[in-house]
């Protein structure tokens, strides 16, 4: 019964992983985002948009914020359509980038979940949004974090199936992403489908039950819990 419930909620666009806490079956998230982070809805540039990336980004299949050689790598599980992820991404994440990524203490590996339990998570358009993000990283990695922040600063309602190829390409154009024709081809050919399922598997093996969530030293923590996140990051970087 648990698995069938997950599949039902996933296909109707309800958050089942936490963060955007699940439970409603009307296609909406279960409540409003917490006040623990501040959403920068105006889309102004911040440390996330200008986050450093590895010198050889092509060596990394998933987007990296950091040098790629830090002693500690934090996995960040997110979803492009989750409003709680938008709140974290445009708020507390900028503090993490400034305090831990820019000094070289940690790298952040982004895993956006288009699937959970092999079913689309937050609507049937969610996998396309995740494929688009992977395409941007692999085709024009230097624009990735600017694109990432632009999308979350202008994120439409998760109730809508807004992640069409045209809408995603429009976001890319406004964020200054280059080689969009190549990216479009990759989206339409489902170039990164296998990576999406790898992230789904990695999430479940790591005990991820919410988005946004960080896995720090093998332990999962809800990203909106600022005090707990800082405690674990400080412990991991001693």
């Amino acid at each position: 019964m648990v698995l069938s419930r997950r599949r039902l909620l996933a296909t109707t666009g309800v958050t089942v992983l936490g963060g955007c806490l699940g439970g409603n079956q009307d296609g909406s998230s279960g409540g409003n985002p917490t006040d623990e982070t501040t959403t920068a809805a105006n889309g102004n540039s911040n440390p996330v948009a200008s986050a450093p990336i590895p010198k050889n980004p092509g060596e990394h299949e998933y987007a990296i914020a950091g040098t790629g050689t830090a002693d500690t790598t934090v996995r960040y599980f997110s979803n492009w359509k989750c409003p709680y992820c938008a709140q974290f991404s445009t708020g507390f994440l900028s503090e993490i980038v400034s305090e831990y990524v820019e000094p070289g203490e940690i790298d952040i590996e982004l895993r956006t979940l288009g699937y959970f339990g092999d079913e689309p998570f937050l609507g049937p358009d969610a996998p396309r949004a995740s494929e688009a993000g992977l395409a941007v990283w692999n085709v024009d990695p230097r624009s990735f974090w600017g694109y990432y922040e632009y999308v979350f600063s202008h994120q439409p309602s998760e109730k809508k199936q807004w992640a069409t190829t045209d809408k995603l390409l429009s976001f890319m154009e406004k964020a200054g992403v280059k080689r969009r024709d190549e990216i479009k081809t990759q989206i339409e050919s489902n170039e990164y489908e296998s990576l999406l399922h790898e992230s789904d598997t990695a999430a479940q093996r790591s005990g991820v039950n919410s988005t946004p969530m960080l896995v720090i030293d093998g332990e999962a923590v809800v990203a909106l819990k600022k005090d707990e996140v800082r405690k674990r990051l400080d412990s991991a970087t001693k």
Side-chain angles (χ1 to χ4, degrees):
M1 286 296 294
V2 173
L3 182 59
S4 61
R5 172 174 167 77
R6 277 180 177 166
R7 287 179 174 173
L8 172 62
L9 296 181
T11 55
T12 55
V14 179
T15 307
V16 294
L17 299 183
C20 313
L21 199 56
N24 297 340
Q25 298 191 38
D26 59 356
S28 63
S29 55
N32 295 319
T34 71
D35 293 330
E36 292 189 34
T37 58
T38 301
T39 301
N42 58 12
N44 287 339
S45 180
N46 65 23
V48 178
S50 58
I53 65 171
K55 291 182 179 179
N56 298 306
E59 295 177 356
H60 303 270
E61 290 182 309
Y62 300 96
I64 298 289
T67 62
T69 59
D71 290 338
T72 299
T73 296
V74 174
R75 275 187 174 176
Y76 166 30
F77 288 92
S78 181
N79 177 283
W80 291 96
K81 296 186 67 183
C82 174
Y84 290 79
C85 294
Q87 190 172 30
F88 170 68
S89 298
T90 58
F92 180 36
L93 182 57
S94 65
E95 298 178 30
I96 295 175
V97 171
S98 293
E99 297 172 26
Y100 298 92
V101 175
E102 290 180 353
E105 294 188 14
I106 69 169
D107 291 328
I108 296 177
E109 179 187 75
L110 176 65
R111 296 293 194 99
T112 59
L113 296 179
Y115 294 99
F116 189 72
D118 288 325
E119 296 290 342
F121 171 54
L122 275 186
D125 55 331
R128 186 182 301 110
S130 290
E131 289 233 27
L134 286 166
V136 171
W137 172 255
N138 283 278
V139 173
D140 186 16
R142 298 194 181 281
S143 72
F144 177 82
W145 289 105
Y147 167 73
Y148 169 93
E149 195 68 358
Y150 185 89
V151 173
F152 279 115
S153 295
H154 297 81
Q155 183 194 67
S157 170
E158 82 276 16
K159 297 179 184 180
K160 301 177 180 179
Q161 293 184 29
W162 57 262
T164 64
T165 300
D166 286 345
K167 182 65 173 179
L168 294 164
L169 289 169
S170 174
F171 280 149
M172 291 176 205
E173 181 179 10
K174 292 173 181 176
V177 177
K178 301 175 182 177
R179 298 166 61 189
R180 293 188 300 277
D181 287 345
E182 184 177 346
I183 290 170
K184 180 180 179 180
T185 298
Q186 292 191 355
I187 295 171
E188 292 178 340
S189 63
N190 301 118
E191 181 80 14
Y192 302 101
E193 183 79 3
S194 63
L195 294 186
L196 299 192
H197 289 289
E198 284 182 14
S199 289
D200 174 12
T201 300
Q204 295 186 63
R205 286 179 176 172
S206 298
V208 168
N209 58 13
S210 68
T211 56
M213 182 165 276
L214 304 174
V215 176
I216 306 168
D217 268 354
E219 298 291 328
V221 58
V222 175
L224 293 172
K225 295 183 176 181
K226 295 179 71 171
D227 291 345
E228 181 67 17
V229 169
R230 287 184 180 280
K231 178 181 177 180
R232 296 197 186 192
L233 286 175
D234 289 341
S235 176
T237 56
K238 283 183 179 178

